[in-house]
Amino acid sequence: MKNRDITCLFTLAALWGASYLFMRIGAGEFGALTMAGARAAGATLLLLPLLAARQDGGLHALRHHWKPIALVGITNSALPFVLFGFAALSINASLSAIFNAATPLYAAIIGLLWLREDISAKRATGLALGFAGVLWLAWDNASFKDGANTFATCWAIAACMAATVLYAFSAHYTRQYLADVPPLAVATGSQLISALVLAVPAFIWRPVAMPSVHAWVALLALTVICTALAYVLFFRLIAAVGASSTMTVPFLVPAFGVLWGLLFLDEIFTLKMAAGSSLIVLGTALTTGLIRYSSRTSAI
């Protein structure tokens, strides 16, 4: 990577890590549904002009492939936005970001079950380590937000896990059915579909009281910086260094998620969280091939 590519990589990780901070700030006042709907609608308004300005037939591709793009919009944006927003009501931003790092683990399982992709001994070891880290963190009640009861915490963790499974499914689905579609068309269309799907629920469950200035700023930052701008950087990075190198971003997101939580929300980062996140990152690195070692064991 060139220096500018490395800068882009860390910037993207910092922005996506900050998304959990902003969801934690805004979810309590907007509600998970309204915040997710507003986020998708705002990102659509920002991305659509960019797509229209391109000369690669992005708008035509969006119209032609709207059905698979719609499914991606639901599984990669609408539902995960709501689920992580719901989780932000009960667990801290650091923990949500760490759980998101397990996405490649779920992708490996989905690849095995759906696409019959082989899992080598190395990948199996990575899966075992990664899921051990997830279970460790899920069991550790000491890291949860003060005042959250056990019932709410369990549902919040389940929401995080469901969101990451959806991300993993969407990645495989996009590769299978939208590989030849301009990435910006997929990004814009997915946000548009998300906004349409969430419009009515977001309006019905809108907040009774006007959210505070802090909540509005958090929503604005989540929409402009962590969604629209992050997508632009993401696709720019893929074009510059390829998808494989870009997939190192999930390893950096938890670090930034924890950092922002410590700096701005006074969250506590425990030794158990450090151990659990280390297992997830190590397991994911083995599963994705970022860490390599020679092995004569055949795939299972």
Side-chain angles (χ1 to χ4, degrees):
M1 290 188 185
K2 299 178 180 178
N3 288 336
R4 63 180 182 180
D5 297 326
I6 295 175
T7 300
C8 184
L9 181 76
F10 277 87
T11 301
L12 181 59
L15 294 181
W16 277 343
S19 66
Y20 302 97
L21 166 71
F22 297 130
M23 283 188 284
R24 175 75 181 277
I25 295 173
E29 297 189 47
F30 280 103
L33 279 167
T34 300
M35 186 174 62
R39 175 184 182 182
T44 300
L45 293 177
L46 292 170
L47 290 172
L48 197 57
L50 295 177
L51 182 65
R54 294 178 65 91
Q55 302 299 318
D56 59 357
L59 286 176
H60 173 74
L62 176 57
R63 290 192 295 267
H64 184 69
H65 298 278
W66 73 269
K67 289 183 179 180
I69 289 176
L71 182 58
V72 170
I74 294 172
T75 59
N76 194 61
S77 294
L79 291 177
F81 285 178
V82 173
L83 289 168
F84 274 120
F86 171 76
L89 298 173
S90 300
I91 62 176
N92 59 38
S94 302
L95 195 58
S96 293
I98 292 171
F99 276 126
N100 189 42
T103 299
L105 303 179
Y106 298 112
I109 295 297
I110 292 174
L112 172 66
L113 298 177
W114 179 18
L115 304 176
R116 304 303 179 188
E117 295 180 348
D118 291 335
I119 295 183
S120 64
K122 179 190 69 174
R123 297 187 72 194
T125 301
L127 286 171
L129 290 174
F131 283 118
V134 171
L135 292 175
W136 188 336
L137 289 175
W139 196 263
D140 180 22
N141 291 331
S143 63
F144 297 153
K145 176 182 173 183
D146 292 339
N149 60 50
T150 303
F151 181 79
T153 295
C154 289
W155 278 110
I157 291 174
C160 285
M161 292 182 178
T164 53
V165 170
L166 288 169
Y167 280 147
F169 165 80
S170 182
H172 281 295
Y173 185 85
T174 300
R175 186 176 66 179
Q176 288 292 310
Y177 299 103
L178 296 170
D180 298 327
V181 179
L184 188 57
V186 178
T188 305
S190 63
Q191 295 304 311
L192 175 60
I193 293 298
S194 298
L196 294 175
V197 169
L198 294 173
V200 173
F203 178 77
I204 293 176
W205 282 282
R206 65 189 183 279
V208 177
M210 176 64 68
S212 66
V213 174
H214 287 88
W216 279 105
V217 171
L219 176 60
L220 182 64
L222 184 64
T223 300
V224 177
I225 300 175
C226 301
T227 307
L229 177 58
Y231 267 122
V232 174
L233 291 178
F234 180 65
F235 296 126
R236 184 263 172 203
L237 195 60
I238 288 180
V241 303
S244 297
S245 296
T246 305
M247 283 307 295
T248 57
V249 172
F251 299 100
L252 301 173
V253 169
F256 282 102
V258 170
L259 177 62
W260 302 144
L262 291 173
L263 292 178
F264 298 105
L265 297 178
D266 295 324
E267 293 182 348
I268 298 175
F269 187 63
T270 67
L271 290 177
K272 288 186 177 181
M273 289 180 69
S277 59
S278 297
L279 281 175
I280 292 174
V281 171
L282 176 60
T284 304
L286 287 171
T287 303
T288 58
L290 187 64
I291 295 179
R292 301 180 184 274
Y293 64 86
S294 60
S295 177
R296 297 182 181 179
T297 306
S298 60
I300 59 176

